[in-house]
Amino acid sequence: MHTQIIPADDELAVISAAGNLTAGNLVGLPTETVYGLGANGLNPEAVAKIFEVKGRPQDNPLILHIADPEQMDMFCHNIPESAYRLAEAFWPGPLTMVLPAKDIVPLSTRAGLPTVAVRCPDCDVTRRIIRHANIPVAAPSANISGKPSTTTAEHVLHDHDGKIPLIIDGGACAVGVESTIVDLTENPPRLLRPGGITPEQLIAVLGDLVIDKAVTAQIDKDEVVKAPGMKYRHYAPAEPVIIVAGERKKAAEYIHRHFEPGDRVLCFEEELPLYADCNPLSYGQEADVNTLSAGLFAALRELDDSSIGKVYARCPVGGGVAYAVQNRLKKAAAFHIVDAEVAL
Ligand code: TXA
Ligand code: MG
């Protein structure tokens, strides 16, 4: 199969993508967070292709993407008032809500769960595609399962060249980490995955929020978790990643003490001069956390190379979007963190 790339501003983009989706094919689609691998979310055969092409475990449900916030009622029921408030505040945008599913949502889309995750992405071309196809689009991040997510059309092509007919190229994703996921079937609501909408923003609307254990710690493969996707190894390059926490100078000292030929350093742009002899790669500026979230996955993909020994990574501190960056980096590092202030 030849994989075609059509720019988002090409007049054929919407028609071709919608045509492929209604025909039951997969399409690589841009969103403001990461690129998705989209299929007709109401068609079990089309949805099955997502699992096959990504190599995704069958028990990991998909997010259903809608074009307009009002469509939430078509696919969910018993919707609490708080969900409408969140939709009003953050949709279209990088927020996914877990709600009780209506029967119209096939079990394969939600991996057999009674709930479905819905999101209205802040991406004009993808919303136009969904409207034109007149179906909700089930889409995971377009990366091969376990690998860093896709934030450009080239990343999608790299992972799926010849396996899907079409990718819509909307340029690099602005947010760069996947959407925030909130489970609204519980009270208080539960944060299942941090993202572009921050815990602080959620609390301002909801009043209260529980942080799921899977956000902050490694989950055992056999543990029962709320977001099944959170227990799998994620975002991981081929080699081990070690987060080196602590003050800038102490971290550089620690890394220099342990650095071996073939290792790499993933750091902030401001730190590049400190690691001139350690083959450093910067993923953004510490002073602007949005550049870190936007650059993280491209950097992790660049470092996905089995000839690399280890990667020493620097991670931003604090809340807001930094909280999501910490979560992704910790998962990429399988929660291997050393504190340079105390470690030898
Ligand atoms: O930003 C995003 O959300 C991107 C773009 C393409 O929209 N999509 C994305 O999908 O990140 P994916 O499949 O990579 O991650 C979806 C996560 C998984 O961890 C999955 O377990 C969880 O959402 N999820 C989906 N449905 C769920 C449900 N009903 N209950 C709990 N967790 C659910
Ligand atoms: Mg994913």
Side-chain angles (χ1 to χ4, degrees):
M1 182 188 297
H2 171 68
T3 302
Q4 190 187 9
I5 299 193
I6 303 184
D9 58 4
D10 187 311
E11 59 187 25
L12 286 177
V14 170
I15 291 174
S16 302
N20 270 288
L21 291 169
T22 32
N25 298 330
L26 302 187
V27 180
L29 292 171
T31 81
E32 79 283 29
T33 57
V34 300
Y35 275 73
L37 190 61
N40 177 354
L42 300 184
N43 175 347
E45 280 110 67
V47 166
K49 290 183 190 167
I50 294 179
F51 286 88
E52 192 185 306
V53 165
K54 249 188 87 104
R56 183 178 179 98
Q58 295 288 338
D59 68 348
N60 195 0
L62 303 171
I63 294 174
L64 203 57
H65 295 71
I66 55 179
D68 295 287
E70 300 73 47
Q71 292 173 340
M72 175 165 68
D73 296 271
M74 293 169 70
F75 308 110
C76 309
H77 65 104
N78 289 345
I79 301 174
E81 193 265 323
S82 55
Y84 293 102
R85 276 190 280 132
L86 288 177
E88 175 69 28
F90 303 120
W91 275 358
L95 176 71
T96 295
M97 293 194 247
V98 173
L99 292 162
K102 283 191 175 168
D103 289 343
I104 182 178
V105 182
L107 286 170
S108 54
T109 297
R110 46 190 162 112
L113 294 174
T115 55
V116 62
V118 282
R119 154 163 140 81
C120 179
D122 186 13
C123 176
D124 188 52
V125 70
T126 291
R127 291 172 68 209
R128 278 166 49 218
I129 290 165
I130 298 171
R131 263 185 226 121
H132 198 85
N134 201 21
I135 42 173
V137 170
S141 52
N143 54 284
I144 289 172
S145 268
K147 288 295 173 190
S149 299
T150 38
T151 53
T152 66
E154 291 72 35
H155 292 161
V156 185
L157 187 69
H158 175 272
D159 283 14
H160 302 299
D161 195 6
K163 292 187 287 176
I164 59 175
L166 178 63
I167 300 167
I168 302 302
D169 185 353
C173 300
V175 177
V177 293
E178 306 89 335
S179 61
T180 305
I181 306 180
V182 188
D183 184 351
L184 290 159
T185 65
E186 287 184 32
N187 203 1
R190 180 179 289 264
L191 179 70
L192 301 183
R193 180 174 74 181
I197 301 298
T198 66
E200 296 85 346
Q201 286 176 296
L202 293 174
I203 289 167
V205 173
L206 295 171
D208 202 2
L209 183 71
V210 170
I211 311 276
D212 195 71
K213 185 180 159 201
V215 173
T216 51
Q218 177 87 60
I219 296 296
D220 195 79
K221 263 217 158 4
D222 303 320
E223 260 180 86
V224 177
V225 286
K226 271 282 182 171
M230 300 304 270
K231 70 184 175 197
Y232 293 106
R233 186 160 186 256
H234 251 91
Y235 317 120
E239 65 289 344
V241 177
I242 302 159
I243 294 176
V244 181
E247 179 272 318
R248 184 171 287 175
K249 230 174 116 238
K250 285 268 175 11
E253 283 165 15
Y254 176 91
I255 291 171
H256 278 97
R257 276 200 303 281
H258 293 266
F259 192 89
E260 292 175 322
D263 292 348
R264 298 287 307 264
V265 172
L266 177 64
C267 64
F268 311 128
E269 205 175 300
E270 295 92 329
E271 298 182 327
L272 283 171
L274 282 176
Y275 296 107
D277 49 350
C278 298
N279 206 354
L281 176 67
S282 130
Y283 63 111
Q285 295 151 24
E286 187 177 25
D288 180 0
V289 70
N290 293 327
T291 63
L292 295 173
S293 72
L296 179 64
F297 284 132
L300 287 175
R301 293 179 76 89
E302 193 174 328
L303 294 172
D304 182 21
D305 174 350
S306 51
S307 72
I308 295 174
K310 299 184 279 328
V311 172
Y312 293 100
R314 295 282 290 150
C315 186
V317 293
V321 173
Y323 193 63
V325 174
Q326 289 153 20
N327 171 263
R328 304 309 192 275
L329 248 187
K330 284 179 185 171
K331 286 192 177 284
F335 290 85
H336 187 172
I337 304 163
V338 297
D339 182 353
E341 313 261 345
V342 294
L344 292 177

